[in-house]
Structures are given as structure tokens and as C-alpha cells.
Amino acid sequence: MKRHFQVTVNGETFQVEVEERPESAWPPVSPAMVAPPAAASIPRSGRLAADPTPPLQDNRTITAPLPGTVVEVRVEPGQRVTAGQVLVIIEAMKMENEIPAPAGGVVREVLVEAGTTVSSGQPLVTMA
Amino acid sequence: MEDITARLADLKARRARVMAGGGKERVDRQHAAGKLTARERLELLLDPGSFLELDQFVRHRATDFGMQNIETPGEGVVTGSGTINGRPVYVYAQDFTVMGGSLGEMHAAKICKILDLALKTGVPVIGLNDSGGARIQEGVAALNGYGEIFRRNTHASGVIPQIAAIMGPCAGGAVYSPGLMDFIFMVDNTAQMFITGPQVIKAVTGEEVSAEELGGAATHATRSGVAHFRTPTEEDCLHLIRTLLDYLPANNLEDPPFKPSSDPAERQNPNLAALVPVDPNKPYNVKEIIYGVADDGLFLEIQGEYAPNMVIGLARLAGYTIGIVANQPQYLAGCLDINAADKAARFVRFCDAFNIPLLTLVDTPGYLPGVEQEQGGIIRHGAKLLYAFAEATVPKLTLVLRKAYGGAYLAMCSRSLGADHVVAWPTAEIAVMGPEGAANIIFRQEISQADDPARVRQEKVAAYRDKFANPYVAAGLGLVDAVIDPALTRPHLIRNLLTLLSKRESRPGKKHGNFPV
């Protein structure tokens, strides 16, 4: 079944014809067809293309509060930790910054090791 | 023939209608939501029996959309005066049981009367907010009410302390009255503040967010910095407001209340020295120093969960209220950043407006490097802190605990910004930058041309540290007035504070400065 739509993007109007077909009728997909259009080719408007806000920091993923170098990892996966217990130490601004657990729990993954350079907001440890 | 008895009975009946607010059903609903009524809140906030109500019989005068048939007992807001620990305050409490606490023209007029009286008499004002927003039926008359309140909040700023507690929804224009006041308290789970709510955001931007995540107490206490205090219950909130007021003067022409304690002014604290690691790479909790110095170890921290790299709050020394600003090495190495500067600057200005001497504790390696900071306007925001300290005329005491490097050293109430007394511990390192960075720059050629650059670098770092990583270069220039044994910090600060209390300093007459907001 064919249906006709009028689409307006950034004030420019397009007439679009859309055909609905049974699933089996799809032709095999070639890589060229799935390649997304180049981002620059789609005019961006603030509303349409608003970047999703980064997820709120939860208590499950502990991230680096500042850029630096990991000098020590004090926990391993499966370890039970209490709130405030130091998980990782990041050297930055000439300070060995202790990164504590915001809440008690069990360490699920440790994503860094001593020597890793981390950027601000980079996940360090996830908690179960 | 009618006599006074009948008139009294009539008065009593009219009063009873007002006291009942929106009626039993709505009051029950308020309680079921974990909230107290406006009158219950005032009872907990004020000294027992001290509440004097005003404008009980004010009524709305709207006639559109069936409003002529709707009675709004008390116009949805309970207003009056009372005392807190014997000191007068003006209060208003919005009544959510009456038309959702919506703000109409006359509701706003009741609040404006309270603000006018508070400003005229030089008495603090406390607003308990619990309102669905503007009363739509009244249209622009209601909207105008918000504007009238904003103007009064602004004119009262710096004259009387203004405190807002958010104990329910507070959306749209309603948020800006609290926003203009000095302190915002929020109650966990029941309080929400936002300009545009989740539905509007979803409709316009497609973002889905819960009201709590968008503007709950936790969000505003940790992420936006809008809330200065958050508490688990309404009772805690009202109690904390009483505690805060105990530190504050009634207005800008008074000194803060003097509360002598049994904690001796000459008390030495030999534990202080061990709290700050001599190794400048090791973090510690600066609040431990504050507890160790303040009267009875009491410190009322403000915005504790927001920008924790800067600690601000109120305490007392020998009975006198002081405002404390401190770097927190435990978080972001104690760096200054946009949020820390913004948080501290507003607090410094509050203290200066209300004659509260400032104590600044310094241990900061500098400004937080990063693209986000620079593009976020750290120049503009960092300038607030410089401006606030330089502008302040209250006694300014500065204690350098350890690192005081570069521009951040200047920003933390240095001598050059007008500190009246600067004291340092022997662990202080007052320099243009840390020894590593300095040696790398000064001796770049020597290091790179050396046969063993690492060894030469180390030697040069050590040499720089010996020369500059101490308080004595600054003391030699008179930029530090004294270097003391940490154990003597409390008596030293108190003696200097007592001398400085009579400080008088004035600035050139002007309309107002152009604060780098």
C-alpha cells in the first residue's frame, strides 16, 4: 500500500511516497543501502537534532571527576565495598585523588588499571 | 436586637472557616502525600504560641471562569509574624489545600504586605512554598503578582535575610522568588522546582524526565546548586531554618547574635597538625580542620553536596558568627572551578552584606584545567570570587594550610585582595605554581641538554621546593603576617578576630559595582 506524506525539514517541504510491503518482500540488504546519510547532509535544527542529555550519574557507574592518571586500583570485581571506601586513586593536579564508592555494593567491573590515563567523566568502576 | 455576642459568634465562625483551609478531605490528602498543612508548618517553625496572623479575611476578586462562586479561605496563603528563639520573623506559608496553593492577585498581595513589613522593620522573612503556580483563572493579574514579589525580594536583598523553603511543587514564575532570596531549603521527595515541567519539556524537546530527576531536592542540591539545604523531612527542614537563623543578624545594620559557648577561646588543639599530610600529594578532609577550630566543633555547612571542592558554611569563634570558605583537597584536589567560584562568591557577598566576618582556609593547587572549564567561562565565573573578596569590608582572616599556588592563591582572599590578617601553617607552600611545573619551565634548557635529564629535573625541582615551597618567602614580603604552630590556630584566629571586629572600611560612593555575574 502506498501512502503520501508531506515532510517539512527546516522550512523546506518534501513530498514523500511511502510504500508498505510484507516483510518477506524486502530485498537483501546491501551495505551501501544501510549506510546512514552523512550527518552534514541533514540540516540540523535545535529542536530536531537536540543531543540527548547525558544520563544522570547513577550510583552504579563511578566516573572520573577530573582528568588524570590512575595510580592505584584498590578493588577487584566481585568485591563487596562500603559507602566511602576508596575504589581508585587518580593522580591529577599533583594530588592523589581518592575516588570513593558513593554507596555500598558489590564491584561488577573495573574498567581501568594503574597507568591508565582517564578523562573527566570516564567510567572507572561499575557496581552491581 | 443584635448584640456583641452574635457578632463574636460570627467572627468565630468566619475564623473557623479560614482555619479549616481547603477542608478535611484536602487536608487528609495533603497528609497522605507526606506533607504538613501550612498552619502545622508554621507551628513547627515558630516559637510555640508566637504566631500573629494577618489578612485572614482577604479574598480574591476574580469573577471569570466561575471564580465568583469559589471561596478561597485565606486566599491560599497564611501570613503573619512570629518569633524564632525569641527573635522576630515575618512568615508566609502557601496552603496547598486551597486551590492547590495557586497564586492569584490577592494571594500575592498578602505576600507583598509581609515583604514590605519585613523590609520596613528590618526583620528576616521566611516563605514556605507549596503551590501549583499562577492561578490561571486570574490571568495577567496573577502573573503581575509574581512580578510584585520579585521586585520586593530584590529590594530586600542585602537588607534582611530572606529564606525560602520548598515543601511541594514550585514551578514556572514561582521559582524566581526563592531564586532571588538568600537560602533555599528543599524537602526530599516532595519538593520540586523547575521553570518548565516534564510535560512541557517532552512536548518541546522530546526529552523524557521525571519531575524528581528534573527538579527534585537531590537534583538541586547536587547538580544545579539551586538548593542550599535539603532535608529528609519537613520537620528537619523547619528545624534547620531555626538553626540557620541563629547565626544571622536580623538585618544589615545589626551584628550577628553573640552566642558565648563553654569552649575556651585559648583552647589549643594538638591534633590539628596531624590532619594535614605534609606530602602535598595526599588528600585530607578540610572539614576536620574546621571542626577542630570552631566553637564546640559546630559547623553549619551550606551547599555541602554541590561543588564539594569548595566548602562554605557558618560557625562561631568565641561566640561570634563567622563565614568559612575553604578548599577541599579531598575533592577535585581542591581546585577552583566554575561551580566552586560561583558558590563561594555568593556566600562571601551574603556574609559581607550581613556583617559576618570571613575566615578563608587555603589549600588549592590552582584552577581546574580543561576545555569544559575554559569554554564554560571560568574567566567570567572565577572573577566573581575575586570581586566578592575584594569588595567585602567585613573582617577577613585567611589561613594557608598547605598549597596556595598562582591565581588560585590570589582568589582565596589573599593579602592583595584585602585580607586583614593572613596566617600560615609551616606546611604552607605559597608560590606561583607547584615546584614540578616551575622547575620544568625555568630550567627547561638545562634539563633538556643534560646527560641525565631526569636527575637534573629532580635536582631542580628539589631546589625550587626548598626555595619557594614554604610560607617564608611570602612572610618575608609581609604577604603572610604570621606563621604558627597548627595547635595554636584557634587562639590565634580568635585574638585576631576580636581585634578586627571594630574594623571600618568604606568604598567610593557609587550606585553599585558591575558584579561579573
Side-chain angles (χ1 to χ4, degrees), chain A residues 47 50-51 53 56-57 65-67 91-98 120, chain B residues 204 207 213 223 280-283 329 332-333 335 365 367 369 402-403 436:
Chain A
R47 188 191 295 187
D51 294 321
T53 49
L56 284 175
Q57 188 183 338
L66 75 178
E91 172 144 0
M93 293 305 286
K94 302 278 179 282
M95 180 74 83
E96 292 171 9
N97 298 277
E98 299 173 340
S120 184
Chain B
V204 175
E207 296 164 296
E213 196 180 329
R223 294 172 64 84
N281 288 350
K282 298 290 182 203
L332 291 181
C335 283
Y367 288 88
R402 204 171 52 177
K403 281 177 274 191
E436 284 83 359

Side-chain angles (χ1 to χ4, degrees), chain B residues 166-246:
Chain B
I166 317 300
M167 311 184 109
C170 182
V175 299
Y176 278 123
S177 173
L180 288 164
M181 294 172 116
D182 298 303
F183 296 104
I184 296 179
F185 289 70
M186 289 184 79
V187 180
D188 277 331
N189 304 318
T190 52
Q192 274 126 27
M193 296 178 83
F194 32 71
I195 301 285
T196 51
Q199 287 105 341
V200 178
I201 290 184
K202 180 151 191 253
V204 175
T205 71
E207 296 164 296
E208 283 196 49
V209 63
S210 70
E212 187 61 25
E213 196 180 329
L214 181 65
T219 297
H220 284 310
T222 61
R223 294 172 64 84
S224 74
V226 167
H228 298 83
F229 300 94
R230 72 162 166 147
T231 60
T233 67
E234 294 195 3
E235 287 85 347
D236 291 335
C237 173
L238 298 165
H239 187 79
L240 196 58
I241 293 175
R242 293 175 61 92
T243 306
L244 171 64
L245 268 183
D246 256 6

Side-chain angles (χ1 to χ4, degrees), chain B residues 434-456:
Chain B
E436 284 83 359
N440 279 341
I441 294 172
I442 302 173
F443 306 108
R444 182 184 299 148
Q445 274 200 325
E446 252 179 277
I447 291 173
S448 64
Q449 289 165 6
D451 298 332
D452 185 354
R455 189 182 52 81
V456 174

Side-chain angles (χ1 to χ4, degrees), chain A residues 62-120:
Chain A
I62 288 83
T63 58
L66 75 178
T69 307
V70 174
V71 291
E72 194 181 337
V73 176
R74 290 210 181 157
V75 291
E76 48 192 46
Q79 188 176 336
R80 181 165 287 280
V81 296
T82 54
Q85 184 174 337
V86 175
L87 307 172
V88 174
I89 296 178
I90 297 177
E91 172 144 0
M93 293 305 286
K94 302 278 179 282
M95 180 74 83
E96 292 171 9
N97 298 277
E98 299 173 340
I99 313 303
V106 176
V107 174
R108 201 158 58 110
E109 293 169 283
V110 175
L111 305 166
V112 292
E113 54 185 20
T116 310
T117 305
V118 293
S119 55
S120 184

